[in-house]
Amino acid sequence: MRFRHPDGSTVHLAYCTNVHPAETLDGVLAQLRDHCEPVRRRLGRDRLGIGLWLAKDAAHALVTDPSALRGLRTELDRRGLEVVTLNGFPYEGFGAEEVKYRVYKPDWADPERLAHTTDLARVLAGLLPDDVTEGSISTLPLAWRTAYDGERAATAMTALGTLAERLDALAELTGRSIRVGLEPEPGCTVETTADAIAPLTAIGHDRIGICVDTCHLATSFEDPHTALDALTEARVPVVKSQLSAALHAEHPHLPEVREALAAFDEPRFLHQTRTATAAGLRGTDDLGEALKGDTLPDASPWRAHFHVPLHAAPAAPLTSTLPVLKSALTRLVGGPHPLTRHLEVETYTWQALPPELRPRARAQLTEGIAAELTLARDLLTDLGLKELP
């Protein structure tokens, strides 16, 4: 979906296909048929933006076979779909029964991460619509915090510098500018937007910036305006923003709240949990750990890294951090000029929701994704952006 900002620029809205993960190119093509095109039809749109997640094998197939890349581009056009952004965070296995810590491997100290991200950039340059010259890719925020020493940090920074050089060369070769954004996430080396400023200013390249995920922002109790103002001040480019909402518990000391939270403690994804205390942010790596006794202080609200559907906050006594998303979006695109032109709804946890909230059929998932995009569209038009055909 495209929108015209009051300054005349085009803002793109997509939804991320990691909600229906596929490891192979055939699986990606099936996604387009079974999920993406039905969402577009449900919205009554001639064109729908999708943020593709391409696993290692799918990306490699596309970058090594020009006919396969042309075929994917043709299939996107045929189904009324367009791609300006990729999710390059998960490397493989995002559809596994247990993802948890695996999603942070390989990290930026491993050569596989540089190779994969380079492949993604080359693929994206070939998938961009004819009238679009800028693409974006979100990626791992350097590494998970453990086993990340000074030597690995230096290796990671060197890899990002090499990536910047490759993106420059790609732009010269294709005329397409691809930018990559580190996506801060709780528990990682770069956990917050503030953590991103030092490494990104050290790299000092306008093709390497930040991806602001509003669920992660909220989970770390960051104020959106403070965070985005600091990025602007430091001249860190916001390459893209993922529109997502975290799980919020206002009174975690109450037994009924603990019981409600326990329903979201599931085995597939990591649900880092945080609370703001007078001594600073406290947290656990997963929700189940937070729920054990007095592991986490419970005098103040808890937030958990669980991407809940934007349009459907959990039932009381829980809620979502949708207000944080709205505040961030106001700062991102509500000013005289947008801070980013790539927005991506990223609720990948539909099938990890408590059983009674999960979509039971493909049509229900289609309906839910369309409802999320409708909410995001309404927020954008309320900020003065005009929806384009």
Side-chain angles (χ1 to χ4, degrees):
M1 300 167 77
R2 298 188 185 192
F3 297 81
R4 181 75 69 217
H5 190 274
D7 75 348
S9 62
T10 299
V11 173
H12 294 265
L13 173 66
Y15 91 88
C16 187
T17 63
N18 63 354
V19 62
H20 2 263
E23 298 292 317
T24 65
L25 181 53
D26 284 344
V28 171
L29 295 171
Q31 284 177 355
L32 307 185
R33 178 193 68 224
D34 296 340
H35 299 288
C36 304
E37 186 178 8
V39 171
R40 177 184 66 75
R41 293 186 181 279
R42 179 67 186 83
L43 289 166
R45 304 280 310 174
D46 293 333
R47 173 173 56 188
L48 177 68
I50 58 170
L52 273 182
W53 174 61
L54 297 172
K56 173 197 66 169
D57 290 345
H60 186 69
L62 289 166
V63 84
T64 55
D65 183 355
S67 66
L69 184 58
R70 288 193 299 270
L72 176 56
R73 172 68 187 274
T74 299
E75 192 70 359
L76 288 165
D77 292 342
R78 187 168 78 85
R79 298 194 181 278
L81 305 168
E82 66 177 14
V83 175
V84 304
T85 190
L86 300 179
N87 186 332
F89 196 134
Y91 180 71
E92 62 184 346
F94 202 61
E97 289 185 9
E98 183 178 328
V99 178
K100 298 288 184 181
Y101 294 95
R102 290 172 51 188
V103 77
Y104 306 106
K105 292 291 186 180
D107 64 33
W108 272 101
D110 297 318
E112 294 91 342
R113 178 61 66 173
L114 173 60
H116 177 58
T117 309
T118 302
D119 284 351
L120 292 178
R122 291 170 177 161
V123 168
L124 182 55
L127 292 181
L128 289 178
D130 292 340
D131 62 343
V132 174
T133 59
E134 294 184 356
S136 62
I137 301 170
S138 47
T139 189
L140 177 80
L142 299 182
W144 185 253
R145 69 180 185 278
T146 54
Y148 189 72
D149 56 19
E151 183 180 349
R152 290 185 68 80
T155 302
M157 294 297 285
T158 299
L160 285 170
T162 301
L163 176 66
E165 294 170 358
R166 292 178 180 179
L167 295 176
D168 282 344
L170 184 65
E172 187 171 342
L173 180 67
T174 66
R176 305 292 179 88
S177 174
I178 308 300
R179 298 192 299 168
V180 172
L182 303 183
E183 181 186 332
E185 176 166 319
C188 291
T189 302
V190 174
E191 177 158 337
T192 65
T193 57
D195 294 336
I197 290 175
L200 290 174
T201 52
I203 295 167
H205 197 290
D206 61 4
R207 296 195 206 280
I208 309 292
I210 192 169
C211 168
V212 176
D213 183 304
T214 58
C215 169
H216 304 172
L217 191 81
T219 301
S220 293
F221 287 86
E222 290 194 81
D223 174 72
H225 289 270
T226 301
L228 292 166
D229 285 349
L231 293 173
T232 301
E233 176 88 13
R235 297 187 177 180
V236 171
V238 182
V239 169
K240 67 186 276 190
S241 179
Q242 288 172 327
L243 306 183
S244 52
L247 191 62
H248 180 94
E250 187 69 18
H251 302 292
H253 64 286
L254 297 176
E256 60 268 29
V257 175
R258 294 290 187 106
E259 184 179 352
L261 282 170
F264 288 84
D265 177 28
E266 54 82 39
R268 186 171 172 189
F269 299 112
L270 205 60
H271 301 296
Q272 303 93 313
T273 304
R274 299 288 185 268
T275 186
T277 73
L281 209 61
R282 294 279 303 278
T284 59
D285 282 357
D286 215 346
L287 180 56
E289 184 184 348
L291 291 170
K292 290 176 183 173
D294 58 356
T295 305
L296 195 62
D298 59 8
S300 299
W302 287 3
R303 288 176 178 172
H305 173 217
F306 194 119
H307 290 221
V308 296
L310 302 187
H311 67 293
L318 304 178
T319 187
S320 82
T321 60
L322 184 62
V324 177
L325 184 159
K326 291 179 177 178
S327 180
L329 197 59
T330 298
R331 183 69 180 88
L332 285 166
V333 300
H337 304 287
L339 297 185
T340 185
R341 291 187 293 275
H342 290 179
L343 304 172
E344 179 184 57
V345 171
E346 197 214 11
T347 305
Y348 58 83
T349 42
W350 282 92
Q351 298 302 339
L353 290 166
E356 67 276 10
L357 301 178
R358 293 174 196 165
R360 291 181 173 81
R362 190 180 291 167
Q364 284 181 296
L365 179 58
T366 296
E367 190 81 21
I369 293 170
E372 289 194 291
L373 286 166
T374 297
L375 181 148
R377 178 198 66 195
D378 291 347
L379 292 177
L380 290 173
T381 55
D382 287 349
L383 289 171
L385 282 73
K386 180 183 179 182
E387 187 177 7
L388 299 175

